Structures are given as structure tokens and as C-alpha cells.
Amino acid sequence: MLDGLQKAYEQEISPNGKEIIRQLLMNAGIAREERVPMCQDTGCAVVFVDLGQDVRIVGGDFYEAINEGVRKGYKEGYLRKSIVSHPLERKNTGDNTPAVIHTKIVPGENLRITVAPKGGGSENMSAVKMLKPSEGVEGVKKFVLEVVKAAGPDPCPPVVVGVGIGGTFEKAALLAKEALLRDLGEKSKHPDIAKLEEEILTEVNKLGIGPQGLGGRTTALAVHIEIFAAHIASLPVAVNINCHAARHKEIVL
Amino acid sequence: MMEGFSTVSEYKNKVVVKLPQVRLTTPLSGDMVENLRAGQRVYLNGIVYTGRDAAHKRLAEIMDLGKELPFELEGQVIYYVGPSPARPGRIIGSAGPTTSGRMDLYAPGLYARGLKATIGKGRRSPDVISAMRRYKGVYLAAVGGAAALISRSIKEAGVIAYPELGPEAIYRLVVEDFPAIVVNDTLGGDLYDEGIKIYSVE
């Protein structure tokens, strides 16, 4: 991420944009040095679990164990508690639980847990659209650009744009989030999709939104796309935006 | 911290207005605010109050009932932030701006009562922009995500209302050269629009 920002700093032509990237780089240094969060929004704890099918979990509720980890991590790390228990009553749970947990059964005997705290500001600017298959790749490009343009300064650009194409309504959204787990700028393994990532990134950076929306050529640092098979009638597209603080940590047990 | 931010854009030979950086001390007077222009870099000093979603809902309820607010609004500044908890020995945790648009519903009523500035990130609604013109207020952007850096300009912090809201409580902050940039001024200038005009490519 820092390499991406450093490169953007060198390339940005807008003086305001350049200054903001400089401040973000400085901020990252201070956060590391003083052991404080780089952003106060330490997110909703989104946890991806790849559970090896030969693993057996005994002695208690696995999801409760994850939540206990979140509780402990947010308390001991002095991270902000940003979760309300009921979306309409909106009372803070006080410990940042519950986590949003996605579990996948995979071959093998490992348990891989990836924690990807997700801030609210960029999450709020995300969207899903069910395109007609006839709209094709142009329709996908148009929608992604619409979402990034409408988001403007709100999701703290420079952003990382996660895109999910295919599957069903909910699958596309999950693909978009999974796309954000990739290391910055790591290309899709499908050559055509890798090319599409590059094309959309170029278009996004022509929007002129720039760092913090104050104008510039660095609106996104990367576009990551994940794809899945789709119904003959459907072309779902989801766009999940991540701010420049694309945090994730993985552990294999 | 006074270096940085050139507000001059020479790109494409458009909008080349040199705006001086300015140091402001709260409470803000009408004159101070009316002299600010979109794109101008400011450094705030003095008292700033925090408030985000839940606190604004409570302030609106209080105003509807005609009761007294937890702080006097005249000339004041509200910073849209929910800080992270302070480690022992620190004044505050990280404290960067949150998305201002979520407070748009409440902002016009607060500007009408004398609030002079809000600080956040992201666009304001047409209603808020017209309230700023009408009641002579401004909207300032702080750098979203530069929360550790910003927290260095916060010299005192204490909760003055709604402690039960946790990070959403209202804090009274004392700031020193808190860095921000004017996005919306009292004349209708909008830095977000200007930026896109200059840097977008057809």
C-alpha cells in the first residue's frame, strides 16, 4: 500500500493532491511509530475463514471464538468500537462485535483466517447492479465509473476499487469484497480480466476526482476484479470501494 | 505545519488564484468566515466541538423541544469525528474526519443558530450549501485517513455530552494549528467541483 502511495506521490500532477498523498505517507509513519490507528475508523471486523475439510473444531462455538478474538483485539489495541446491535435502534455494542464472518470449506487440513476491517465511509459508497447480458463489458465499465464518480470525495480517495462480476446478486457483492483482499495491484489470473482492470483504472483516473476529491489524477490506486459463472439471464456487477487504508491480516493455523 | 498545500493550480491554465494560508482562532466572527474562499488552506486554533450521527440526532431532538443545547453554537465549529480510544497517557486516539453527508439533514438548522463552520470530508447537499450562503458559514475538509497526523494538533479533549454514545459522544477539543482546507465558502464556491473541472480528462 505504501509503495502504491509513494508511486502516486511521484506521479500526481495536482499540487493539492500531491500534498495530501504526502500527508497520508507521513500519517502512516506516525501511526506505525506511535502505535495508533492510521484512521480512527477501525471498521467492521470482516473475517474470511477458509476451513480445511480435514480440520475438526472441538470445544465450543467457532463463531463465538472469532467474536471473542475481535472483542479482545479491539479492546487491547485501542481500536474504535463502531458496531450498533440493531440497524434501526442503533445502540453501540461496545466491543465491535459481532464480526461479519464468511466461511468457505476447502481441501486440506489448514484453517486460514483473514481479518479485513472495513471502514464505513468507503463501504457506504459501494453498489450492486443487475445488468442485462447484452450490456456486456461496456456496461460493466460504465457502471464501475458511475459508482466511483458518484462516490467522489466521500470514500477517502485514493481508493482501491473491488469489482465482482457474475454469480448472483449476493455472490457478486462477495466477489467484490474478496477482490479487495488481493495485494495492491496484484492482477487477475485471467488475462482478459487483468486487461479490463487496467482499462478501468485508467478511466477512473481520468475522472479528475483526485486525492480526497480535491482534484487530481490519483483517484484509484488499483482496480481488482473477481469473476464467477452467471445465469444465462444475468450479468450482476458489484463495486466495493476501499479507502487508501486497505488493511488486512492473514494467519494460517 | 504551515508549509504545504499550494492552492494555485497552473494546470491547463485554469483557475490561477493565489490564496493566502490563514490561521483562525475560534469562536469565528462573521468577517473571518466571509473572507474565506474555497481552496484556501486554514489552520484552526482554539475550541472545536465534535459530533457525528447519533449526537446530531440528539441535538436536533433538543432543538425541536426548544431546550438548551449542551454548548453555545454562536461562532463555533463542529468537527465530524468519532475518535478511536486514547492509549494510556495520550490525549486522544486517532481523530480524522468522517463523511459529512450523513449530517446534512441537521447542518442547516445548526448554521441558522450561529454555527460558523463544520469540518469533515466529502460533499455537502444543496440544502447545506445554501444554508452556508444564507447564514454565512463555511465547510472545511480535513484529510480523511490522516487520523494519526491530525491527532497531533489536538491538545486537549474531554467529553461534554452523551458519554453513553462512546465514540459518538460530544467532545470539546482544544486544537493548535489544526490543518484544513475550505471546500464551500459563503459565496457558493465549491472546491470539489473546481478540482474535477481542472483535472478530469474527456
Side-chain angles (χ1 to χ4, degrees):
Chain A
M1 201 69 203
L2 288 180
D3 290 347
L5 281 174
Q6 188 63 50
K7 200 172 135 218
Y9 177 75
E10 284 152 24
Q11 292 175 355
E12 180 56 63
I13 55 170
S14 138
N16 276 346
K18 214 174 172 67
E19 169 59 16
I20 281 164
I21 300 171
R22 190 185 71 86
Q23 289 190 16
L24 293 177
L25 286 164
M26 248 168 80
N27 182 67
I30 294 170
R32 180 176 289 260
E33 208 174 281
E34 299 185 8
R35 295 176 59 236
V36 295
M38 55 196 293
C39 176
Q40 76 291 337
D41 185 354
T42 48
C44 169
V46 181
V47 181
F48 289 88
V49 177
D50 287 354
L51 178 63
Q53 60 193 13
D54 299 334
V55 177
R56 189 164 163 248
I57 292 163
V58 291
D61 182 328
F62 180 55
Y63 289 163
E64 185 37 49
I66 290 177
N67 280 319
E68 186 50 36
V70 168
R71 205 169 277 135
K72 211 169 162 238
Y74 275 75
K75 181 165 185 281
E76 292 172 9
Y78 292 87
L79 306 184
R80 197 181 74 184
K81 286 75 180 173
S82 311
I83 302 299
V84 291
S85 57
H86 185 299
L88 298 173
E89 289 167 8
R90 308 198 72 81
K91 190 175 176 337
N92 199 305
T93 62
D95 59 10
N96 220 56
T97 68
V100 170
I101 305 169
H102 301 291
T103 316
K104 201 154 63 181
I105 308 288
V106 297
E109 52 185 24
N110 289 332
L111 172 60
R112 179 191 301 267
I113 300 175
T114 306
V115 183
K118 187 67 169 69
S122 55
E123 191 73 357
N124 282 349
M125 306 321 291
S126 305
V128 181
K129 190 171 183 187
M130 307 302 284
L131 298 182
K132 295 184 187 82
S134 63
E135 292 179 81
V137 69
E138 287 310 315
V140 171
K141 278 189 194 170
K142 188 166 162 260
F143 177 58
V144 176
L145 286 170
E146 271 169 25
V147 173
V148 177
K149 193 173 180 188
D154 291 34
C156 290
V159 296
V160 180
V161 183
V163 182
I165 309 174
T168 46
F169 179 75
E170 84 290 1
K171 178 70 179 177
L174 188 56
L175 289 171
K177 177 129 297 159
E178 285 171 349
L180 294 175
L181 294 178
R182 258 194 244 157
D183 284 336
L184 187 72
E186 186 190 322
K187 304 251 174 278
S188 165
K189 58 181 188 290
H190 309 279
D192 60 327
I193 298 299
K195 187 166 157 271
L196 183 60
E197 289 175 340
E198 205 51 53
E199 285 168 14
I200 296 179
L201 178 63
T202 305
E203 289 300 314
V204 161
N205 285 332
K206 283 184 185 172
L207 291 173
I209 296 166
Q212 294 295 311
L214 301 182
R217 291 291 172 72
T218 320
T219 301
L221 296 171
V223 174
H224 294 169
I225 303 176
E226 292 291 332
I227 58 170
F228 195 77
H231 188 281
I232 48 173
S234 304
L235 176 51
V237 183
V239 182
N240 194 196
I241 299 183
N242 208 123
C243 60
H244 52 81
R247 301 160 287 201
H248 54 261
K249 186 88 188 164
E250 180 185 287
I251 185 165
V252 180
L253 302 171
Chain B
M1 290 260 307
M2 290 290 280
E3 89 287 359
F5 266 91
S6 158
T7 45
V8 186
S9 259
E10 283 129 21
Y11 188 68
K12 286 188 198 166
N13 300 320
K14 284 192 203 169
V15 195
V16 187
V17 183
K18 190 156 191 165
L19 300 166
Q21 302 187 351
V22 55
R23 187 176 257 144
L24 298 172
T25 302
T26 64
L28 304 179
S29 69
D31 276 356
M32 276 184 202
V33 168
E34 284 182 61
N35 282 328
L36 296 173
R37 293 291 173 267
Q40 196 164 11
R41 184 99 174 110
V42 301
Y43 293 88
L44 273 176
N45 291 273
I47 293 167
V48 166
Y49 295 96
T50 74
R52 46 173 295 150
D53 311 59
H56 273 78
K57 188 161 182 267
R58 297 224 182 157
L59 294 179
E61 285 163 2
I62 289 174
M63 290 197 292
D64 284 348
L65 294 170
K67 289 189 186 161
E68 204 172 313
L69 293 170
F71 62 96
E72 175 56 47
L73 281 174
E74 189 58 47
Q76 298 304 327
V77 179
I78 295 181
Y79 179 24
Y80 301 139
V81 58
S84 67
R87 278 186 189 276
R90 292 185 66 97
I91 296 161
I92 197 164
S94 292
T98 193
T99 310
S100 310
R102 294 194 316 274
M103 272 57 77
D104 280 355
L105 182 63
Y106 311 108
L110 297 169
Y111 280 114
R113 284 178 168 239
L115 181 71
K116 280 292 166 211
T118 54
I119 312 170
K121 58 147 173 127
R123 284 187 179 281
R124 307 313 304 260
S125 70
D127 280 353
V128 179
I129 291 170
S130 80
M132 286 188 276
R133 295 180 75 163
R134 182 162 173 196
Y135 303 112
K136 305 299 172 203
V138 288
Y139 169 52
L140 311 173
V143 177
L149 177 68
I150 290 172
S151 70
R152 285 189 164 177
S153 63
I154 299 171
K155 302 301 172 189
E156 285 177 39
V159 173
I160 58 150
Y162 319 135
E164 66 280 10
L165 294 179
E168 296 204 69
I170 296 184
Y171 287 70
R172 179 182 175 277
L173 306 178
V174 177
V175 300
E176 221 174 83
D177 285 340
F178 178 106
I181 188 160
V182 181
V183 170
N184 296 107
D185 60 31
T186 57
L187 301 175
D190 187 323
L191 182 59
Y192 293 139
D193 288 344
E194 288 302 315
I196 286 182
K197 259 186 231 159
I198 298 170
Y199 293 103
S200 62
V201 182
E202 293 307 319

Short mmCIF file of all heavy atoms in Angstrom, two decimals, chain A residues 7-8 35 50 59 62 74 80-81 84 91 101 104 109 117 125 136 139 164 174 178 184 194 197 209 228 230-231 233:
data_model
loop_
_atom_site.label_atom_id
_atom_site.label_comp_id
_atom_site.label_asym_id
_atom_site.label_seq_id
_atom_site.Cartn_x
_atom_site.Cartn_y
_atom_site.Cartn_z
N LYS A 7 4.35 5.82 -5.17
CA LYS A 7 4.34 5.94 -6.63
C LYS A 7 3.35 7.04 -7.05
O LYS A 7 3.64 7.86 -7.92
CB LYS A 7 3.95 4.59 -7.23
CG LYS A 7 4.35 4.42 -8.67
CD LYS A 7 4.11 2.98 -9.15
CE LYS A 7 3.45 3.00 -10.51
NZ LYS A 7 2.45 1.97 -10.71
N ALA A 8 2.19 7.04 -6.39
CA ALA A 8 1.17 8.05 -6.70
C ALA A 8 1.70 9.45 -6.38
O ALA A 8 1.43 10.41 -7.11
CB ALA A 8 -0.10 7.77 -5.90
N ARG A 35 2.10 3.65 17.44
CA ARG A 35 1.17 2.56 17.62
C ARG A 35 -0.27 3.05 17.81
O ARG A 35 -0.96 2.72 18.75
CB ARG A 35 1.61 1.67 18.79
CG ARG A 35 2.94 0.96 18.48
CD ARG A 35 3.46 0.14 19.65
NE ARG A 35 2.53 -0.89 20.06
CZ ARG A 35 2.04 -1.01 21.30
NH1 ARG A 35 2.39 -0.17 22.24
NH2 ARG A 35 1.21 -1.97 21.59
N ASP A 50 -11.15 -19.83 5.71
CA ASP A 50 -11.05 -20.99 4.81
C ASP A 50 -10.80 -22.19 5.70
O ASP A 50 -9.69 -22.36 6.23
CB ASP A 50 -9.89 -20.82 3.82
CG ASP A 50 -10.20 -19.79 2.75
OD1 ASP A 50 -11.35 -19.29 2.72
OD2 ASP A 50 -9.29 -19.45 1.98
N GLY A 59 -14.82 -28.24 21.22
CA GLY A 59 -14.80 -27.47 22.47
C GLY A 59 -15.28 -26.04 22.31
O GLY A 59 -14.52 -25.11 22.52
N PHE A 62 -17.30 -22.01 17.25
CA PHE A 62 -16.23 -21.41 16.45
C PHE A 62 -16.47 -19.92 16.21
O PHE A 62 -15.58 -19.09 16.34
CB PHE A 62 -16.13 -22.18 15.13
CG PHE A 62 -15.06 -21.67 14.21
CD1 PHE A 62 -13.75 -21.57 14.63
CD2 PHE A 62 -15.38 -21.30 12.91
CE1 PHE A 62 -12.75 -21.10 13.78
CE2 PHE A 62 -14.40 -20.82 12.05
CZ PHE A 62 -13.08 -20.73 12.49
N TYR A 74 -9.97 -5.44 19.65
CA TYR A 74 -10.42 -4.04 19.61
C TYR A 74 -10.22 -3.35 20.95
O TYR A 74 -9.99 -2.14 20.99
CB TYR A 74 -11.88 -3.94 19.14
CG TYR A 74 -11.96 -3.93 17.62
CD1 TYR A 74 -11.77 -5.10 16.89
CD2 TYR A 74 -12.17 -2.74 16.91
CE1 TYR A 74 -11.79 -5.09 15.50
CE2 TYR A 74 -12.21 -2.72 15.53
CZ TYR A 74 -12.02 -3.89 14.83
OH TYR A 74 -12.04 -3.87 13.46
N ARG A 80 -11.39 1.60 17.62
CA ARG A 80 -12.71 2.18 17.86
C ARG A 80 -13.81 1.11 17.76
O ARG A 80 -13.77 0.26 16.88
CB ARG A 80 -12.99 3.30 16.87
CG ARG A 80 -14.14 4.19 17.34
CD ARG A 80 -14.41 5.28 16.34
NE ARG A 80 -15.08 4.77 15.16
CZ ARG A 80 -15.37 5.51 14.10
NH1 ARG A 80 -15.04 6.78 14.08
NH2 ARG A 80 -15.99 4.99 13.06
N LYS A 81 -14.77 1.21 18.64
CA LYS A 81 -15.91 0.30 18.62
C LYS A 81 -17.02 0.95 17.80
O LYS A 81 -17.64 1.90 18.24
CB LYS A 81 -16.39 0.00 20.05
CG LYS A 81 -15.47 -0.93 20.83
CD LYS A 81 -14.23 -0.20 21.26
CE LYS A 81 -13.25 -1.06 22.06
NZ LYS A 81 -12.00 -0.33 22.30
N VAL A 84 -23.24 -1.09 15.91
CA VAL A 84 -24.50 -0.98 16.66
C VAL A 84 -25.26 -2.30 16.50
O VAL A 84 -25.22 -2.94 15.45
CB VAL A 84 -25.37 0.21 16.20
CG1 VAL A 84 -24.69 1.52 16.58
CG2 VAL A 84 -25.64 0.19 14.70
N LYS A 91 -27.84 1.00 18.95
CA LYS A 91 -27.11 1.10 20.21
C LYS A 91 -25.76 0.40 20.04
O LYS A 91 -25.69 -0.74 19.57
CB LYS A 91 -27.93 0.42 21.32
CG LYS A 91 -27.37 0.68 22.71
CD LYS A 91 -28.29 0.10 23.76
CE LYS A 91 -27.79 0.21 25.19
NZ LYS A 91 -26.37 0.36 25.42
N ILE A 101 -18.73 -12.71 9.26
CA ILE A 101 -17.85 -13.87 9.01
C ILE A 101 -18.28 -14.61 7.75
O ILE A 101 -19.46 -14.95 7.58
CB ILE A 101 -17.88 -14.84 10.22
CG1 ILE A 101 -17.53 -14.08 11.51
CG2 ILE A 101 -16.92 -16.02 10.00
CD1 ILE A 101 -17.78 -14.86 12.80
N LYS A 104 -15.62 -20.65 4.15
CA LYS A 104 -15.54 -21.48 2.95
C LYS A 104 -14.88 -22.80 3.34
O LYS A 104 -13.89 -22.80 4.06
CB LYS A 104 -14.67 -20.73 1.93
CG LYS A 104 -14.86 -21.16 0.51
CD LYS A 104 -14.52 -20.05 -0.49
CE LYS A 104 -13.08 -19.62 -0.47
NZ LYS A 104 -12.75 -18.54 -1.39
N GLU A 109 -5.91 -29.57 5.52
CA GLU A 109 -6.02 -29.63 6.98
C GLU A 109 -5.63 -28.32 7.64
O GLU A 109 -5.25 -28.28 8.80
CB GLU A 109 -5.15 -30.78 7.51
CG GLU A 109 -3.72 -30.73 7.00
CD GLU A 109 -2.90 -31.93 7.44
OE1 GLU A 109 -3.49 -33.00 7.73
OE2 GLU A 109 -1.66 -31.78 7.49
N PRO A 117 -10.68 -5.46 8.41
CA PRO A 117 -11.56 -4.44 8.97
C PRO A 117 -11.97 -3.45 7.88
O PRO A 117 -11.13 -3.02 7.11
CB PRO A 117 -10.69 -3.74 10.01
CG PRO A 117 -9.46 -4.54 10.16
CD PRO A 117 -9.31 -5.36 8.92
N MET A 125 -20.28 3.81 -0.08
CA MET A 125 -20.29 4.26 -1.47
C MET A 125 -20.31 3.09 -2.45
O MET A 125 -20.13 3.26 -3.64
CB MET A 125 -19.09 5.16 -1.76
CG MET A 125 -18.92 6.35 -0.82
SD MET A 125 -20.44 7.16 -0.31
CE MET A 125 -20.95 7.91 -1.85
N GLY A 136 -22.87 -6.20 -21.60
CA GLY A 136 -21.50 -6.68 -21.73
C GLY A 136 -20.44 -5.87 -21.01
O GLY A 136 -20.71 -5.18 -20.03
N GLY A 139 -21.02 -2.18 -20.47
CA GLY A 139 -21.96 -1.93 -19.36
C GLY A 139 -21.26 -2.00 -18.01
O GLY A 139 -21.52 -1.19 -17.11
N GLY A 164 -16.91 -7.24 -8.46
CA GLY A 164 -17.35 -8.63 -8.63
C GLY A 164 -18.25 -8.70 -9.84
O GLY A 164 -19.19 -7.91 -9.96
N LEU A 174 -20.00 -10.39 -2.75
CA LEU A 174 -18.93 -11.06 -2.03
C LEU A 174 -17.64 -11.12 -2.87
O LEU A 174 -16.54 -10.92 -2.34
CB LEU A 174 -19.39 -12.49 -1.64
CG LEU A 174 -18.46 -13.28 -0.72
CD1 LEU A 174 -18.18 -12.52 0.58
CD2 LEU A 174 -19.07 -14.64 -0.39
N GLU A 178 -13.99 -9.81 -1.88
CA GLU A 178 -12.81 -10.69 -1.97
C GLU A 178 -11.72 -10.07 -2.84
O GLU A 178 -10.53 -10.24 -2.58
CB GLU A 178 -13.22 -12.07 -2.50
CG GLU A 178 -13.96 -12.90 -1.44
CD GLU A 178 -14.57 -14.18 -2.00
OE1 GLU A 178 -14.61 -14.36 -3.24
OE2 GLU A 178 -15.04 -14.99 -1.19
N LEU A 184 -2.16 -5.01 -3.25
CA LEU A 184 -2.38 -3.89 -4.15
C LEU A 184 -1.76 -4.13 -5.52
O LEU A 184 -0.57 -4.39 -5.63
CB LEU A 184 -1.81 -2.61 -3.54
CG LEU A 184 -2.13 -1.34 -4.32
CD1 LEU A 184 -3.59 -0.98 -4.15
CD2 LEU A 184 -1.25 -0.20 -3.88
N ALA A 194 -7.50 -9.13 -16.37
CA ALA A 194 -6.35 -8.29 -15.97
C ALA A 194 -6.29 -7.05 -16.87
O ALA A 194 -6.03 -5.94 -16.41
CB ALA A 194 -5.06 -9.09 -16.06
N GLU A 197 -9.04 -4.70 -15.83
CA GLU A 197 -8.66 -3.98 -14.60
C GLU A 197 -7.83 -2.74 -14.96
O GLU A 197 -8.06 -1.65 -14.43
CB GLU A 197 -7.81 -4.89 -13.69
CG GLU A 197 -8.61 -6.01 -13.04
CD GLU A 197 -7.76 -6.99 -12.23
OE1 GLU A 197 -6.53 -7.05 -12.45
OE2 GLU A 197 -8.32 -7.72 -11.40
N ILE A 209 -11.17 13.26 -9.92
CA ILE A 209 -11.57 13.41 -8.51
C ILE A 209 -10.33 13.66 -7.64
O ILE A 209 -10.30 14.60 -6.85
CB ILE A 209 -12.33 12.15 -8.03
CG1 ILE A 209 -13.65 12.01 -8.81
CG2 ILE A 209 -12.61 12.21 -6.53
CD1 ILE A 209 -14.31 10.65 -8.67
N PHE A 228 -17.20 -14.85 -11.68
CA PHE A 228 -17.81 -16.15 -11.41
C PHE A 228 -18.82 -16.42 -12.52
O PHE A 228 -19.28 -15.50 -13.20
CB PHE A 228 -18.51 -16.13 -10.03
CG PHE A 228 -18.85 -17.50 -9.50
CD1 PHE A 228 -17.86 -18.31 -8.93
CD2 PHE A 228 -20.15 -17.99 -9.56
CE1 PHE A 228 -18.17 -19.57 -8.44
CE2 PHE A 228 -20.46 -19.26 -9.06
CZ PHE A 228 -19.46 -20.04 -8.50
N ALA A 230 -22.31 -17.18 -14.38
CA ALA A 230 -23.56 -16.47 -14.17
C ALA A 230 -24.71 -17.18 -14.88
O ALA A 230 -24.50 -18.00 -15.77
CB ALA A 230 -23.43 -15.03 -14.69
N HIS A 231 -25.92 -16.84 -14.49
CA HIS A 231 -27.14 -17.36 -15.11
C HIS A 231 -27.23 -16.81 -16.55
O HIS A 231 -26.75 -15.70 -16.80
CB HIS A 231 -28.33 -16.89 -14.27
CG HIS A 231 -29.65 -17.49 -14.65
ND1 HIS A 231 -30.39 -17.05 -15.72
CD2 HIS A 231 -30.36 -18.50 -14.09
CE1 HIS A 231 -31.51 -17.76 -15.81
NE2 HIS A 231 -31.52 -18.65 -14.82
N ALA A 233 -29.51 -15.40 -17.93
CA ALA A 233 -30.26 -14.14 -17.98
C ALA A 233 -29.55 -12.99 -17.27
O ALA A 233 -30.01 -11.86 -17.34
CB ALA A 233 -31.63 -14.35 -17.33
#
